[in-house]
Structure formats: structure tokens, C-alpha cells
């Protein structure tokens, strides 16, 4: 009945693009995320296809970004994002120590070592129903300070220390207090995403630290140039313009190199905040909640990045305003010079007009002299032919007539030229 949009089905199914399957407790998951940009798309896909061939799995489609399949004794989940790739290996089985024999030990080491990109997240998540006491839980985290809370309306408890342990992985312990399988899967997914997106957001923090002294230097140089422009002493505008152009180039270069990273950090941070809200945390006495920990540690880092981004934007505007002020001053000076030049040209034109008028008078006299001379020859010729005429008297009487005629003709020519020019 209808003409269907070519992307309708794909867009409709996008909401189901990354379903995280259910998890039956007790269970353990190992999550690794690699920073691998779009330039490594082919390598990332080929590497995972080699995993599928090794375990005789049906490979993902060419445009597929999420894949989940059951292997020998564990389940693999592959997620491809714009900037990173996530691998999750999960296994539902009984265990005594949640972090002693993680699932990642089942994965071939040669395949793991060839993973494209750089490791950004390593995380073990354990789900159990055993009621361990506080001392046992502290021992699992090497007696580090713990962060935790009741989540999802009290159906689960979560503990973590946000630290890397001897194997280079972080640890999260979940106590199942009545969750369903899909609910457990969603909780594991949210905790995994909080860690991954937290680390991706923090990639902007070292750049902000490195950019801080450069931004301060540009700010100081711009203030010096502005003060120099505001002073009454004569400055070299060309040199000042060169300095401002150099500052503008440096500012735009920094902004271009940092804007993408800062924008991505803001987007990742918003995802972290959304996932924290979805946890619906309730305080456990004596523990700091995950949300509080993030607000105390992650939020200041994000505000630092935001501050550097704002300072760069303000600097860019200040440089542009100073540049405009300098150009305005230069334009005013040029207008004054042009005005003086036009006045000088006007004086020269007046002098040339006067000279021209003088020359015109001389020209009238010269033309009259030659014209009267020709008439004199004419009068002499007439006298020699027998015409009764006094050639000298006739020549003398012709002088004023010829002079008046030439002068009137010159005036008419000048008026005609003036009218045509107008």
C-alpha cells in the first residue's frame, strides 16, 4: 500500500542492536575493550572472524556491529563501536573464588595477543548468591577501599574498588538477591558500560592537562598584544597583525585537535550518568555509592576538559575581536591617507587646470597668429590680381575677427567635452 523508506527496517531494529542476553547466577564475565578507531575496522572484523572460524561459529554479517554466540563452555559477545571494540566472555558455573580463575583464561592467548587496538578496559564481573561477610569481600578486593550499594530496588548488591589488580583487570562483585536472568544481564551490561564509557571519557583528560599551559601562554600573549594596541604609543601595525595571525592559527590548531576528543568525552560522560541513574542505587551503610564516587572523581575531570574547551572558544573570539580592532584602526589610517592623497590630487588638478587655461590662451594667440598670416598671403594675392585692396589694412582688421572666432570655438569645444563627460 505504501512506498517504504529504504532505511525503515534498519532504523526500527536499531533499538534492538545491542541486546545483552540473560545471565544465570552464579556466573562470571571477563570484559576487555580496545581503543581502535574507524581506520582499524577491517582489522578488527578480520580478527574476530578468525575467532569464529576457530570455534566453528557462524560469522557476523558485514554490517553487523553486535554479535553473541555460545562456544565451548562460555559465551562470547562482540561489540564494535566507532572508537573502540568490546569483547565479553561469560560463563555460568559454580565457583569458590569469584576472581581466581576468570573466564578469559579459556580464550586462546595467541588470539588475544593479536587483538587490534590498545587495551583500554579490563574487567572481571562475578555474580553470586552466596552471602559473604565483609571480611571475605574485602579480601577479594585485596583490602582496598570499597564502593558499593544496593541496586535495582534492592534485588542486588554491588561492590567494586575501581582499581587494577595483579592481573591488570578491575573487579566487580554482584550479589544476586532475587534478580531474574534478563535483569541480571542488564545489570552486568550497565556496569560494563559504566567502566568502558568512563575510560573513554577520561581519554580527554590528559589532553586537557597538556593543553592548559599552552592555553595560558596564548592568553598571556594576547593580553600583551591587546594592551600594546590600547596604549597611546605608536605601534607597528604590520608586526601586530602578524602576531595576532600567529595566535589565531595556534588557537584554531589546538581547537581542531581537541574539539573532537572533548565532544566525545561529553557524550561518553552523559552515557555514564544515564547508566548510573538506571542502577537506582540505595546506600549501604559505610560505603560510598558508585554515583558518589563518579561525581567526586569523574565529574572534576570532565569539568576540566569543559573548562579548557570553553577557554579555547573564548580565546578564539578574543583573537578575532582584537584582529577586527586592528583592521579597523588600519582601515581608518588608510582612509586618512586616502583623504590626504585625494586632497593632494585635487590641488594638482587645480594647478593643471590653471596651467591648461594658460596654455589655451597661448594656443589661441598662436592659432590667431598663423591664421592671420595665412589671410595676409590671401590679401596679397588678391592685390596682385588687381583687386583694389590694402593687404596690410585688411590683415590688421582680420586680427580681432580671427581672434574672436578662435576663442569662441575653443569655448564651445570645452563645453561640449564637459557635457559629454557629465
Amino acid at each position: 500500500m505504501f512506498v517504504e523508506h529504504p532505511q525503515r527496517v534498519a532504523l526500527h531494529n536499531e533499538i534492538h542492536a545491542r541486546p545483552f542476553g540473560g545471565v544465570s547466577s552464579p556466573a562470571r564475565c571477563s570484559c576487555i575493550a580496545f581503543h581502535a578507531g574507524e581506520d582499524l575496522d577491517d582489522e578488527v572484523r578480520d580478527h574476530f572472524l578468525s575467532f569464529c572460524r576457530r570455534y566453528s561459529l557462524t560469522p557476523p554479517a558485514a554490517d553487523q556491529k553486535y554479535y553473541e554466540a555460545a562456544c565451548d563452555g562460555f559465551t562470547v559477545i562482540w561489540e564494535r563501536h566507532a572508537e573502540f571494540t568490546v569483547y565479553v566472555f561469560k560463563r555460568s558455573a559454580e565457583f569458590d573464588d569469584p576472581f581466581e580463575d576468570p573466564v578469559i583464561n579459556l580464550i586462546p592467548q595467541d588470539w588475544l595477543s593479536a587483538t587490534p587496538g590498545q587495551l583500554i578496559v579490563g574487567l572481571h564481573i562475578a555474580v553470586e548468591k552466596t552471602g559473604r561477610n565483609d571480611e571475605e569481600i574485602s579480601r577479594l578486593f585485596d583490602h582496598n577501599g570499597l564502593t558499593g550499594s544496593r541496586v535495582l530496588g534492592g534485588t542486588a548488591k554491588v561492590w567494586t574498588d575501581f582499581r587494577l589488580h595483579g592481573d591488570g583487570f578491575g573487579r566487580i562483585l554482584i550479589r544476586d538477591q532475587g534478580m531474574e536472568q534478563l535483569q541480571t544481564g542488564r545489570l552486568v551490561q550497565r556496569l560494563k558500560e559504566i567502566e568502558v564509557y568512563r575510560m573513554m571519557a577520561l581519554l580527554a583528560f590528559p589532553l586537557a592537562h597538556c593543553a592548559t599551559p599552552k592555553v595560558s601562554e596564548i592568553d598571556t600573549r594576547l593580553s600583551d598584544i591587546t594592551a600594546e594596541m590600547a596604549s597611546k604609543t605608536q605601534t607597528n601595525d604590520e608586526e601586530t597583525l602578524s602576531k595576532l595571525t600567529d595566535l589565531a592559527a595556534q588557537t584554531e590548531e589546538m581547537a581542531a585537535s581537541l574539539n573532537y576528543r572533548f565532544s566525545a568525552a561529553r557524550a561518553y560522560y552523559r552515557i555514564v550518568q544515564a547508566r548510573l541513574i538506571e542502577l537506582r542505587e540505595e546506600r549501604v551503610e559505610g560505603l560510598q555509592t558508585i554515583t558518589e564516587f563518579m561525581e567526586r572523581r569523574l565529574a572534576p575531570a570532565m569539568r576540566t576538559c569543559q573548562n579548557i574547551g570553553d577557554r579555547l572558544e573564548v580565546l578564539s573570539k578574543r583573537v578575532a575581536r582584537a584582529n577586527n580592532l586592528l583592521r579597523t584602526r588600519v582601515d581608518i589610517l588608510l582612509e586618512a591617507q586616502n583623504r590626504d592623497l585625494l586632497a593632494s590630487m585635487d590641488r594638482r588638478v587645480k594647478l593643471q587646470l590653471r596651467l591648461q587655461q594658460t596654455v589655451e590662451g597661448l594656443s589661441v594667440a598662436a592659432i590667431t597668429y598663423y591664421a592671420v598670416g595665412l589671410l595676409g598671403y590671401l590679401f596679397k594675392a588678391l592685390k596682385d590680381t588687381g583687386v583694389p585692396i590694402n593687404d596690410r589694412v585688411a590683415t590688421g582688421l582680420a586680427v580681432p575677427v580671427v581672434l574672436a572666432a578662435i576663442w569662441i570655438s575653443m569655448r564651445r569645444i570645452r563645453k561640449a567635452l564637459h557635457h559629454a563627460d557629465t
Side-chain angles (χ1 to χ4, degrees):
M1 291 177 61
F2 309 106
V3 178
E4 189 174 83
H5 192 282
Q7 298 295 324
R8 175 175 178 261
V9 176
L11 295 175
H12 182 272
N13 294 331
E14 181 62 26
I15 197 170
H16 306 289
R18 303 184 189 277
F20 198 94
V23 174
S24 300
S25 57
R28 287 180 289 181
C29 301
S30 292
C31 168
I32 51 177
F34 289 83
H35 185 220
E38 296 177 350
D39 56 321
L40 295 178
D41 269 344
D42 294 338
E43 294 182 37
V44 170
R45 186 170 293 275
D46 291 342
H47 180 258
F48 187 68
L49 290 179
S50 68
F51 179 90
C52 294
R53 288 192 296 269
R54 181 173 296 200
Y55 286 92
S56 301
L57 302 176
T58 302
D63 59 346
Q64 194 171 346
K65 301 292 185 180
Y66 179 90
Y67 180 87
E68 181 173 357
C71 301
D72 297 336
F74 64 93
T75 300
V76 60
I77 297 175
W78 174 74
E79 298 179 28
R80 179 62 179 140
H81 298 259
E83 285 195 289
F84 60 93
T85 309
V86 180
Y87 304 87
V88 179
F89 308 98
K90 59 181 181 178
R91 181 184 185 186
S92 295
E94 295 289 342
F95 54 82
D96 294 327
D97 190 319
F99 307 113
E100 184 176 359
D101 186 22
V103 189
I104 200 169
N105 290 345
L106 301 176
I107 311 304
Q109 295 299 309
D110 60 329
W111 182 85
L112 286 174
S113 61
T115 305
Q118 298 172 319
L119 182 67
I120 188 72
V121 172
L123 180 66
H124 296 314
I125 302 177
V127 185
E128 63 177 6
K129 292 186 176 181
T130 305
R132 301 178 186 271
N133 58 40
D134 293 344
E135 177 59 30
E136 291 177 320
I137 294 174
S138 179
R139 180 186 59 79
L140 292 176
F141 292 93
D142 298 333
H143 302 287
N144 295 322
L146 292 180
T147 298
S149 60
R150 284 185 292 270
V151 297
L152 304 182
T155 57
K157 281 186 177 180
V158 178
W159 292 271
T160 184
D161 58 356
F162 288 105
R163 294 182 182 276
L164 297 179
H165 292 264
D167 57 354
F169 280 68
R171 296 177 179 180
I172 296 178
L173 179 63
I174 301 174
R175 179 183 296 171
D176 183 359
Q177 298 184 152
M179 292 187 295
E180 298 180 357
Q181 289 187 14
L182 290 178
Q183 193 176 19
T184 306
R186 289 194 297 269
L187 176 59
V188 170
Q189 183 183 28
R190 287 165 185 160
L191 293 172
K192 178 262 296 181
E193 289 180 347
I194 287 173
E195 182 66 13
V196 172
Y197 287 117
R198 174 181 75 93
M199 293 297 294
M200 292 301 299
L202 284 173
L203 284 177
F205 189 55
L207 298 179
H209 264 299
C210 293
T212 299
K214 297 180 181 178
V215 172
S216 299
E217 178 188 357
I218 293 176
D219 193 359
T220 302
R221 290 171 58 189
L222 179 59
S223 299
D224 294 340
I225 294 174
T226 306
E228 183 181 350
M229 290 172 57
S231 64
K232 296 182 180 180
T233 58
Q234 188 69 22
T235 59
N236 188 334
D237 291 335
E238 185 177 353
E239 181 180 353
T240 304
L241 182 61
S242 176
K243 293 179 181 178
L244 284 175
T245 303
D246 181 57
L247 284 183
Q250 292 184 32
T251 304
E252 291 303 320
E253 181 185 7
M254 288 186 62
S257 62
L258 296 177
N259 278 344
Y260 175 78
R261 188 74 268 152
F262 287 169
S263 298
R266 287 193 295 270
Y268 293 137
Y269 181 51
R270 284 194 292 267
I271 295 176
V272 171
Q273 290 177 311
R275 298 297 181 267
L276 290 172
I277 293 174
E278 292 169 2
L279 291 179
R280 291 182 288 148
E281 287 189 279
E282 300 174 10
R283 181 179 298 278
V284 173
E285 192 64 31
L287 290 181
Q288 188 180 32
T289 66
I290 298 175
T291 301
E292 290 175 342
F293 181 87
M294 291 292 180
E295 287 300 316
R296 289 178 59 87
R297 305 298 175 89
L298 181 59
M302 294 298 99
R303 283 194 289 269
T304 298
C305 298
Q306 181 67 39
N307 178 53
I308 293 299
D310 293 343
R311 287 183 65 186
L312 276 175
E313 185 176 355
V314 171
L315 272 178
S316 181
K317 292 179 179 179
R318 286 179 57 197
V319 171
R321 285 199 299 268
N323 207 337
N324 290 336
L325 287 174
L326 180 60
R327 290 182 183 277
T328 301
R329 188 170 75 177
V330 171
D331 289 342
I332 292 174
L333 292 176
L334 288 176
E335 289 178 0
Q337 292 176 359
N338 291 337
R339 186 180 63 250
D340 294 341
L341 179 60
L342 289 174
S344 174
M345 292 175 64
D346 186 55
R347 288 193 299 270
R348 291 180 182 179
V349 168
K350 289 181 179 180
L351 290 175
Q352 289 178 356
L353 180 59
R354 291 177 183 176
L355 180 61
Q356 181 181 352
Q357 291 174 348
T358 303
V359 171
E360 285 179 359
L362 295 176
S363 299
V364 170
I367 295 172
T368 302
Y369 173 79
Y370 287 109
V372 170
L374 292 174
L375 289 175
Y377 287 117
L378 177 63
F379 294 149
K380 287 181 181 179
L382 291 175
K383 181 180 179 181
D384 291 341
T385 58
V387 177
I389 186 175
N390 190 333
D391 58 326
R392 292 185 178 181
V393 174
T395 302
L397 293 175
V399 170
V401 177
V402 173
L403 181 63
I406 294 175
W407 183 76
I408 292 172
S409 299
M410 293 290 288
R411 287 200 60 180
R412 287 181 177 179
I413 293 173
R414 187 164 59 247
K415 286 182 180 180
L417 293 174
H418 178 72
H419 179 70
D421 183 63
T422 304

